[in-house]
Amino acid sequence: MTQHVTVLYGDLDRILITGQEIKDAVERLGAQITRDYQGKSPVMICILKGAVVFFSDLIRSIDLPVSLDFMAISSYGSSTKTSGVVRILKDLDHDVAGRDVIVVEDIVDSGLTLSYITSLLDQRAARSVKIATLLDKPERRRTPLVVDYCCFTIPNEFVVGYGLDYNEKYRNLPDVGVLSPRMYSE
Ligand code: 5GP
């Protein structure tokens, strides 16, 4: 456990992935993307806000001339369940037509959010669209979705930390942990 944000750890059932494990996995993923995109300059798209911590570490482990863009979306539904209906709160600043795009997400759950985003980028004529996610919960998939890059496959539990929140809290935890169910049943 990382010691400097101890106040939030009391709300967790357990730590699932330590900051050090995340660091190692993100470095491996950055090296793989660097190999796969040799000679290319992909646009890395951060899905705000959950992916922001993963994104900032991942881009620094990629040795390519990447450019960055940001998209904020909200999915209707409660904070622990996705409805699949997606609203764009902040769109990209740049045109992706003809570009190789890597969408960076914190977690793929039902897959509905990323299905929506990837089809939007296809409609905008991106040359290629790939998905990089920190976490994947394949048990919960409700739509076929190819996840191209994934750091960790996790069980069907609600997790927080390293960018992932519950009611905007816990994003600054350096590890990923399972939130104690008492925190959202209260
Ligand atoms: P999907 O459309 O794949 O069901 O939903 C993905 C989004 O749901 C994620 O970007 C995230 O905001 C939210 N989400 C799904 N599972 C979890 C989880 O275990 N923890 C947190 N904090 N958010 C989750």
Side-chain angles (χ1 to χ4, degrees):
M1 185 193 294
T2 312
Q3 293 302 328
H4 56 275
V5 270
T6 48
V7 74
L8 297 174
Y9 283 101
D11 297 349
L12 301 183
D13 250 6
R14 65 184 197 281
I15 291 179
L16 196 61
I17 311 165
T18 66
Q20 187 60 51
E21 288 168 330
I22 296 171
K23 188 171 186 290
D24 295 343
V26 171
E27 276 172 17
R28 281 196 299 276
L29 180 55
Q32 190 185 343
I33 291 174
T34 303
R35 285 193 300 276
D36 292 353
Y37 284 82
Q38 275 305 299
K40 295 181 177 160
S41 41
V43 186
M44 311 280 303
I45 297 180
C46 176
I47 306 301
L48 297 169
K49 302 173 197 169
V52 76
V53 180
F54 174 45
F55 186 79
S56 68
D57 284 341
L58 181 62
I59 56 172
R60 285 177 292 169
S61 65
I62 296 175
D63 187 13
L64 293 169
V66 298
S67 50
L68 311 181
D69 212 334
F70 297 84
M71 186 181 257
I73 48 136
S74 97
S75 78
Y76 296 96
S78 73
S79 44
T80 54
K81 291 210 173 63
T82 323
S83 68
V85 183
V86 174
R87 188 162 54 109
I88 297 179
L89 301 177
K90 186 224 165 286
D91 207 337
L92 301 174
D93 291 333
H94 302 287
D95 189 6
V96 293
R99 302 295 305 272
D100 294 303
V101 172
I102 303 173
V103 182
V104 181
E105 180 59 300
D106 52 358
I107 184 164
V108 183
D109 187 32
S110 68
L112 295 169
T113 309
L114 276 175
S115 290
Y116 175 85
I117 292 172
T118 51
S119 60
L120 185 72
L121 297 172
D122 283 336
Q123 279 166 33
R124 292 181 182 180
R127 182 160 73 172
S128 67
V129 180
K130 292 211 169 174
I131 294 171
T133 186
L134 176 73
L135 307 172
D136 188 7
K137 278 187 198 170
E139 273 176 60
R140 299 251 310 163
R141 205 68 94 249
R142 284 169 54 196
T143 184
L145 180 81
V146 178
V147 174
D148 304 280
Y149 301 107
C150 167
C151 291
F152 302 96
T153 299
I154 63 164
N156 181 15
E157 290 179 289
F158 191 79
V159 293
V160 294
Y162 197 73
L164 289 106
D165 76 313
Y166 176 64
N167 283 346
E168 296 299 326
K169 239 171 115 180
Y170 311 106
R171 294 193 195 277
N172 58 319
L173 272 179
D175 314 282
V176 168
V178 177
L179 187 64
S180 168
R182 77 183 147 80
M183 300 311 298
Y184 46 86
S185 58
E186 273 168 5

